[in-house]
Structure formats: structure tokens, C-alpha cells
Amino acid sequence: MIWYPYEQMKTMKAPYEIVDAEGPYLYTKDAKLLDSISSWWSVIYGYHQPKITEAICQQANKFSHVMLGGLTHKPAQELSEKLAAWLPGDLDYCFFSDSGSVAVEVALKMALQYYVNRGETSHKRVLALEHAHHGDTSVDNQEVRRTKVLALEHAYHGDTFKTMAVGDDEDYHFVLQVYGKNPYVIHIPTEIAALEEAFARYQDELNCFIVEPLLQGAGGMRMYDMAFLKRARELCDKYGVLLIFDEVATGFGRTGHRFVADEVLPDILVLGKGLTGGHIGHAVTVANKKVFAAFYDDAPEKALMHGPTFMGNALACAAAKASIELFDELDVMARVAHIEEITRRELEGFTDPRIREVRIMGGCACIEVYDAQTLAGYQQFAYERGVFARPFLNYLYSMVPYILTDDELVHIFAVMKEWFRRG
């Protein structure tokens, strides 16, 4: 049997079985559904997109996969070159993986090893701290540096272990409570005063600051200001800390920016979801020249010892290259601006005593309610009106495919508003 995600298997209701998908629509045997959340925010051009599908099929007729250990291939080379030319600054060095969570793991590992390779965080120093923690002072207790990660409150970066540790959402990651408080992760709110205080306090103990820039997805579609990120860049430069942008969810136009990295340049950028137009799993961790240079050495121990089996999968690389080309061909940023305009027209000012706040940014809209029970039954309500939605906790949201017509977009919001107006 299938073990489904984020579900208590004993009590879950039967999922809707999809028999076909085309454009922005999902089809069950008896319903046609507008997908209002783009299959976890990834299917940005809709389903069965012809250019991406054709790219996958053409590559499959040659080969579907070969490992990147000791081998290489044209799809991976072309995608790496395309990303280097397309992304801002000197974000030129692409490490591929098979999911966003793994790509964030790679970023965090890169950040730590960057300082290990530079001699700023040695094994001896870490070992000394561990011995001192257990009361053993026989080991020279040298100062430990660059072992801590700064992250945001309400952060979500994936469900693998290190990404859970830097995340801050007990609804997803309560299992880590058995370990107690993690001494290597500091969480702060998206407030400049808190940011400055954290850097002043921890300074050379930090190896990186990781954020979902502007929009925190699974943490509740929380939105914050660009000024916070600009100040973060200044402080990372001042204290020699690497800045990581997890744009797995925010990239490819979702925030109203192509990438937030276009506005504030990180040292490491993580992409996934829309990278392939949601047609096949793939992700990439892109480093700048400074980070890459710390690994480029004659010493074998300075290599990045990481290698997902399906990294640089040929089908996924072909899909990703086609997806990037589509982004420009379809003038996605103009589409996102129009989606935001329609969204604001339909939802701004919409009120109900049960609603705490309506938030809108780019291709994302969120209605936060006071009580999660307010949204109980909404998924079936929407299904009966031709919309697939998946509220979570206190959040009813949309992350629509960019190809929706105005009427289709308005229908999604009409169903949302009808839910509250029905009493």
C-alpha cells in the first residue's frame, strides 16, 4: 500500500485519484479540477506542457540516466551552462540533486565544509567542545568557530534531518524534540533588530544564514520585507558568513521577482520545484566562485564528498533546460504581475470575522484564519466546485500555475470567498 505524506494513515480520507492532467487541470474519473496549488507549487506551466514533455521524450530515446561519478553527459553540461548564464552574479557552480530537501542539505554541508577547508572550523576544535561538554578537560579546549547556523523562526527547508534541524515548525518536525534543543541552530524573527543582535552575539561562530527569501511557505505563507535581506547581506559580508537562499519554493517568479537573488545576491542558491516545470524531480545547489574556490584544491580531503545517485539525471536536465527556455518565451514575469493584479482585485479588502489576515505576494495568496477548524471541509467543498485545494493548519492559500486565464483565476478566489459567505 502507499504510505501517504503528512497523513495519519489510520484516519485519512481517501485521496482523489487522478486519471489525467492537462494544462491547469487535474482529472478524476468524474471531475475536472483547477489545480490552485500547482502540485506543491511546482507545476508552474501546467501539466503535460508540450515543450517539456517533448524534451523528456527526446532524451529518453537516447538514455534516461547515467551517474555523474566518473561520467558526464550533454544534458547536464547544457543545463549547468544555461544556469550559469541565466542566474545573477557569479552563481556559476552547479551541484545537482534529486529533490529540494537534498539540495538544501548540500548547501548546509557546503557552508560548513567551506570553513573547515579554510581552517576556521577544525575537527580538533569540535572534538574539544564535545569533551568539555562531558566534563573532560584533558583535551585542549580551543575556541570552536563557524559551527552554528542562523535561520528564521517558522522556517521550513525540507524533511531530511539537517533541513529539519534548521527548520522551525513543530507541526512537521516534532520528532526532533527527542534530541532536545539543537545547540548549532539559532532561530530569529524576520526583524532587523533581531538580525543585528544575532550577528553581534554569535559573530564568528556562524557558518551561514539560511532563509526562504521574502516568502516562508510551509511555515504559513509568511511574507516579509526586502530590507531585512539587504541588511542580512551587509552583515554576512561584515562578519564573513555565507548567505544561503532557499528558493526551492520562491524561485521562478513566485514572489513577483524572477528570483529574490536578483535583488539581493546570496553566496549559495538552492532551486527545485519549478526548475523542471514540475514535470520530474530535480534540484540544484548553485555556489559562487568564493565558495567553489575553497573546495578546488590538490588535497583530496577538500573535495565535497556528496553524490546523490540520480543527480544530474538526463531526463530531468532536459526538462529543466526546456523549463528555463519557457520562462523567457512565455514572459512569465509579466504573467505573474498580472496574476498579482487580479488577486489583489479579488481578495484585498475581503473580510470575515474568522479571518485574521489576507496576504498577497506575486503568484501567492493566503487567507489566514484564527481557528483551523474554520477550514475543515474546504477541500471537498472546493472539489465539488471544480477546484483542487489543500489548506493546512490555519492557512487557505493559492499558488497557481502561471498559465491560468483570468476567468479560471477568478473562479478559484470565488470559491474561497463563497466558503466564508455561506455562513
Side-chain angles (χ1 to χ4, degrees):
M1 78 184 274
I2 300 172
W3 195 335
Y4 289 94
Y6 302 129
E7 293 281 2
Q8 172 47 260
M9 294 293 292
K10 186 174 182 179
T11 58
M12 70 174 283
K13 78 175 189 66
Y16 306 119
E17 183 177 353
I18 301 305
V19 297
D20 201 357
E22 183 79 27
Y25 289 98
L26 297 166
Y27 294 87
T28 67
K29 63 181 181 181
D30 56 6
K32 176 183 178 182
L33 305 170
L34 271 171
D35 184 358
S36 68
I37 61 170
S38 306
S39 269
W40 269 334
W41 327 336
S42 66
V43 186
I44 57 178
Y45 310 114
Y47 296 93
H48 198 205
Q49 206 291 325
K51 182 179 179 114
I52 298 176
T53 301
E54 178 61 22
I56 293 171
C57 291
Q58 284 187 5
Q59 182 56 44
N61 283 329
K62 299 174 184 176
F63 59 88
S64 295
H65 178 69
V66 297
M67 64 188 284
L68 287 190
L71 302 171
T72 192
H73 54 77
K74 189 174 181 180
Q77 293 167 348
E78 290 183 342
L79 177 57
S80 183
E81 291 167 2
K82 182 70 173 178
L83 285 166
W86 204 54
L87 294 175
D90 62 344
L91 290 167
D92 295 338
Y93 302 91
C94 300
F95 191 97
F96 295 114
S97 53
D98 47 8
S99 73
S101 184
V102 173
V104 174
E105 292 275 353
V106 171
L108 294 167
K109 189 173 181 177
M110 274 183 185
L112 178 60
Q113 191 175 340
Y114 171 83
Y115 293 102
V116 171
N117 285 0
R118 288 160 51 97
E120 294 187 47
T121 301
S122 71
H123 174 67
K124 183 178 180 182
R125 285 172 173 163
V126 176
L127 186 64
L129 183 68
E130 292 296 323
H131 280 258
H133 179 71
H134 292 95
D136 180 1
T137 58
S138 62
V139 179
D140 179 23
N141 190 13
Q142 300 182 55
E143 182 185 4
V144 177
R145 303 176 68 201
R146 306 300 190 189
T147 56
K148 290 183 170 63
V149 174
L150 186 63
L152 297 179
E153 292 177 355
H154 310 293
Y156 177 88
H157 295 288
D159 294 335
T160 49
F161 259 68
K162 189 62 177 177
T163 61
M164 286 196 294
V166 298
D168 183 44
D169 195 325
E170 293 182 358
D171 290 301
Y172 293 96
H173 303 150
F174 61 87
V175 66
L176 290 189
Q177 292 175 9
V178 300
Y179 291 119
K181 183 172 175 58
N182 189 324
Y184 299 110
V185 181
I186 302 106
H187 290 104
I188 61 170
T190 53
E191 300 166 2
I192 291 178
L195 177 70
E196 292 175 339
E197 181 183 349
F199 272 91
R201 178 176 179 183
Y202 296 103
Q203 296 191 16
D204 61 3
E205 294 180 67
L206 299 174
N207 63 61
C208 70
F209 180 29
I210 183 169
V211 300
E212 302 156 273
L214 296 186
L215 173 64
Q216 296 180 276
M221 303 300 164
R222 298 170 186 269
M223 301 170 187
Y224 61 98
D225 194 80
M226 187 75 75
F228 179 87
L229 296 176
K230 290 180 177 178
R231 185 59 178 146
R233 178 70 272 176
E234 292 170 355
L235 291 167
C236 284
D237 290 340
K238 178 179 178 179
Y239 292 105
V241 175
L242 297 180
L243 181 59
I244 301 174
F245 278 8
D246 174 359
E247 293 221 48
V248 170
T250 65
F252 297 94
R254 189 58 69 182
T255 66
H257 302 276
R258 190 185 69 141
F259 301 99
V260 184
D262 289 330
E263 309 301 321
V264 177
L265 189 63
D267 299 292
I268 300 173
L269 175 65
V270 185
L271 303 176
K273 293 190 183 294
L275 177 64
T276 64
H279 280 52
I280 188 170
H282 205 215
V284 62
T285 307
V286 190
N288 66 11
K289 186 175 182 179
K290 176 179 74 173
V291 173
F292 181 78
F295 293 80
Y296 194 72
D297 198 279
D298 291 327
E301 65 270 16
K302 289 192 175 182
L304 179 61
M305 298 301 289
H306 205 91
T309 298
F310 294 104
M311 68 179 295
N313 172 264
L315 300 181
C317 287
K321 183 171 177 286
S323 177
I324 291 170
E325 290 168 356
L326 270 172
F327 192 94
D328 293 327
E329 290 171 10
L330 298 178
D331 195 3
V332 163
M333 292 315 302
R335 287 173 177 258
V336 172
H338 184 66
I339 287 169
E340 181 171 1
E341 179 184 358
I342 299 298
T343 304
R344 292 192 181 280
R345 187 192 75 194
E346 296 297 313
L347 289 185
E348 265 189 345
F350 180 68
T351 61
D352 182 277
R354 293 162 291 182
I355 294 176
R356 179 189 293 273
E357 187 178 33
V358 175
R359 296 189 288 275
I360 299 165
M361 178 182 284
C364 174
C366 176
I367 298 175
E368 181 181 354
V369 298
Y370 289 101
D371 183 352
Q373 280 302 306
T374 299
L375 302 178
Y378 179 80
Q379 186 176 67
Q380 183 61 28
F381 177 88
Y383 178 92
E384 292 167 1
R385 288 154 181 80
V387 173
F388 175 68
R390 196 173 184 274
F392 66 100
L393 302 174
N394 295 47
Y395 311 106
L396 173 59
Y397 76 96
S398 65
M399 287 265 211
V400 298
Y402 299 148
I403 60 167
L404 287 180
T405 67
D406 288 5
D407 287 346
E408 289 166 338
L409 185 60
V410 168
H411 179 64
I412 288 169
F413 298 138
V415 173
M416 288 181 174
K417 290 186 285 189
E418 184 185 350
W419 173 257
F420 291 97
R421 287 171 173 160
R422 70 193 176 94

